[in-house]
Amino acid sequence: MSNNVILIRFGELYLKGKNKDYFENTLKTNIRKKLENLECTLYFGRGRYVVKDYDQSNEEEIIFRLKQVFGIHSISVAGRCGYDFEEIVALALEMTPNSGTFRVSSHRSYKKYPLNSLQINMQLGERILQAKSGLTVDLHRPDYIINVDVRENGDVYLFDSVIKCAGGMPYGTSSNGLLLLSGGIDSPVAGYMLAKRGMNLTALHFHSYPYTSEAAKQKAVDLARILREYCPNLKLVCVSLTEIQESIHKHCKPNYMITLVRRFMMRIAQSVAQSHGCGCIINGESLGQVASQTLESITVTNAVVDIPVFRPLIGMDKDEIIEIAEKIGTFKKSIEPYEDCCTVFLPEFPLIKPAREKVEEQESFIPDYHGLIERALTELEVIKL
């Protein structure tokens, strides 16, 4: 087993007042689940969680998994010793290089420790200088920082780096939302952004087989599996739009195709959301990115549902979205060249500013409108991830 430990720090939970226990308990559950098949011991102290008694060969895997847990602000690999100052000195000397500049930065949460933070900094720094003549002190821009964390449980932790993690709120603390998951770049990022705020996700994917391939559908499944690393218990529901799109293509003007399809999708999404206990719809729309994402198009599609529609990417440009997609691991999968349902019967000149009354007029030409929705819902498929 490793002599090291991994310190876990959380952020926004400090702001939750009397509800803090609920958020902390959810975070603890999520951490346990993330590490459940790795041999280690979890200690949940006040203000710090600690992973200890793990095999050194699993350290990188533990770090990788913890970075995917929403609610964790940062982690550090640390050496551990007791309160005896000579133990602290020995561990610090083991960690520090022989040359360059350094500083000691201490945090003493155990206030009964005989030395305060400033005294720890000064006395430990002095001992290091005595032992290693190639080192000098630089309080402002040191090459190396020795962080000392004195905790209430009898342990002192020393570490030299901080690894930034996902942050946000513990997953599952903000009710349930339905993510419209296409095969593109944007929607997985939208799901990630809402999951980061604690929202539990169910994903809904629309396909148009045989106009779209099984590979296109599998791409959505693969994206859902990547998201599931951040979103425990993520479910994926698939619905066919084939009959709906064929009917629109047959009975309506071509330039209304995208708008009408989007309205069908929103009505179906609301029904799926309600049946899965979701209080909102989430999509990856960014204002003005394509014809269906203008203010007028969004207004017309929103008009057919009466639950909230969240668009976390609405003010972001493509480069910002791609940066997050690369970070969370969905980008390479998203750019695989498989068509999605939005490319079926795609008009040459789609409406940019649809008028609601004109759209509703086109809808009136579609026979058995509600029957199309009912059949799509009857044939929905829940994919096991």
Side-chain angles (χ1 to χ4, degrees):
M1 291 296 175
S2 171
N3 291 322
N4 289 338
V5 301
I6 299 175
L7 302 180
I8 301 174
R9 307 175 190 85
F10 49 80
E12 286 188 66
L13 274 63
Y14 288 115
L15 307 177
K16 299 308 167 189
K18 294 181 180 180
N19 296 318
K20 183 180 175 183
D21 285 349
Y22 165 68
F23 290 91
E24 274 209 62
N25 289 336
T26 303
L27 178 56
K28 291 173 186 177
T29 298
N30 292 346
I31 292 172
R32 287 190 191 101
K33 184 169 184 178
K34 199 69 176 175
L35 302 181
E36 64 184 353
N37 63 342
L38 294 174
E39 185 179 350
C40 61
T41 301
L42 289 168
Y43 166 76
F44 298 111
R46 189 175 68 182
R48 287 286 185 278
Y49 302 158
V50 182
V51 184
K52 55 185 180 179
D53 303 328
Y54 60 86
D55 191 290
Q56 182 68 40
S57 63
N58 288 331
E59 187 171 271
E60 289 301 317
E61 178 65 18
I62 293 171
I63 291 170
F64 176 77
R65 294 190 189 188
L66 290 175
K67 288 171 70 175
Q68 296 175 326
V69 178
F70 292 118
I72 297 179
H73 177 267
S74 64
I75 58 178
S76 292
V77 177
R80 177 179 58 172
C81 64
Y83 285 162
D84 185 278
F85 191 69
E86 293 304 316
E87 288 186 45
I88 297 174
V89 172
L91 183 55
L93 292 176
E94 184 182 323
M95 293 172 58
T96 50
N98 294 319
S99 61
T101 60
F102 80 100
R103 121 173 153 238
V104 178
S105 179
S106 301
H107 174 77
R108 186 188 61 144
S109 63
Y110 179 59
K111 301 305 180 185
K112 294 182 180 180
Y113 190 74
L115 301 176
N116 63 32
S117 296
L118 181 58
Q119 289 170 328
I120 294 172
N121 293 345
M122 294 175 63
Q123 293 187 32
L124 184 57
E126 182 180 7
R127 294 289 295 274
I128 292 170
L129 286 172
Q130 290 172 354
K132 298 192 175 186
S133 59
L135 283 173
T136 58
V137 172
D138 184 341
L139 297 179
H140 303 290
R141 292 186 178 181
D143 300 323
Y144 195 85
I145 300 176
I146 305 164
N147 297 279
V148 182
D149 194 355
V150 183
R151 308 305 299 180
E152 302 91 339
N153 64 339
D155 285 342
V156 178
Y157 305 116
L158 275 67
F159 57 94
D160 60 2
S161 63
V162 175
I163 301 169
K164 188 176 180 182
C165 295
M169 299 301 302
Y171 183 76
T173 56
S174 296
S175 298
N176 305 316
L178 182 76
L179 170 67
L180 303 188
L181 182 66
S182 70
I185 297 170
D186 302 338
S187 58
V189 175
Y192 172 87
M193 297 294 284
L194 264 295
K196 185 175 180 178
R197 301 310 307 159
M199 183 159 283
N200 188 65
L201 299 182
T202 295
L204 173 61
H205 175 68
F206 292 100
H207 65 86
S208 301
Y209 185 81
Y211 297 105
T212 56
S213 65
E214 281 293 334
K217 180 180 172 183
Q218 184 60 45
K219 179 182 175 183
V221 174
D222 293 341
L223 286 170
R225 287 184 174 140
I226 295 171
L227 276 180
R228 205 168 190 263
E229 295 300 315
Y230 300 90
C231 309
N233 303 318
L234 175 73
K235 295 179 289 186
L236 176 62
V237 179
C238 290
V239 172
S240 173
L241 284 178
T242 305
E243 185 184 7
I244 289 170
Q245 289 177 292
E246 287 175 339
S247 185
I248 295 172
H249 180 65
K250 182 177 180 180
H251 298 287
C252 304
K253 291 182 178 179
N255 57 337
Y256 282 85
M257 169 61 75
I258 292 176
T259 303
L260 294 173
V261 168
R262 297 291 291 181
R263 281 165 67 92
F264 267 104
M265 291 168 70
M266 294 297 276
R267 287 190 170 104
I268 292 170
Q270 177 164 276
S271 181
V272 174
Q274 291 169 342
S275 65
H276 284 77
C278 299
C280 69
I281 296 168
I282 306 158
N283 68 32
E285 292 179 337
S286 172
L287 188 63
Q289 186 173 186
V290 294
S292 64
Q293 297 176 21
T294 63
L295 175 59
E296 293 79 4
S297 292
I298 290 172
T299 301
V300 167
T301 56
N302 266 17
V304 301
V305 296
D306 51 22
I307 62 173
V309 181
F310 291 164
R311 297 173 170 86
L313 313 185
I314 195 69
M316 298 175 67
D317 63 35
K318 203 67 176 183
D319 288 341
E320 293 171 315
I321 297 168
I322 288 173
E323 182 179 351
I324 298 173
E326 290 176 330
K327 182 182 76 171
I328 67 176
T330 58
F331 180 71
K332 288 184 179 179
K333 177 60 62 174
S334 292
I335 61 174
E336 289 181 358
Y338 299 116
E339 69 286 351
D340 61 31
C341 64
C342 294
T343 63
V344 177
F345 304 125
L346 187 67
E348 186 176 1
F349 299 106
L351 288 176
I352 295 176
K353 297 183 177 182
R356 180 172 174 176
E357 60 276 9
K358 295 290 187 181
V359 172
E360 290 173 348
E361 179 185 26
Q362 289 296 309
E363 280 182 339
S364 70
F365 301 147
I366 302 173
D368 197 21
Y369 189 101
H370 296 291
L372 289 169
I373 294 175
E374 290 173 5
R375 287 191 292 279
L377 290 168
T378 300
E379 297 170 6
L380 65 78
E381 178 186 9
V382 179
I383 304 294
K384 185 176 181 180
L385 299 175

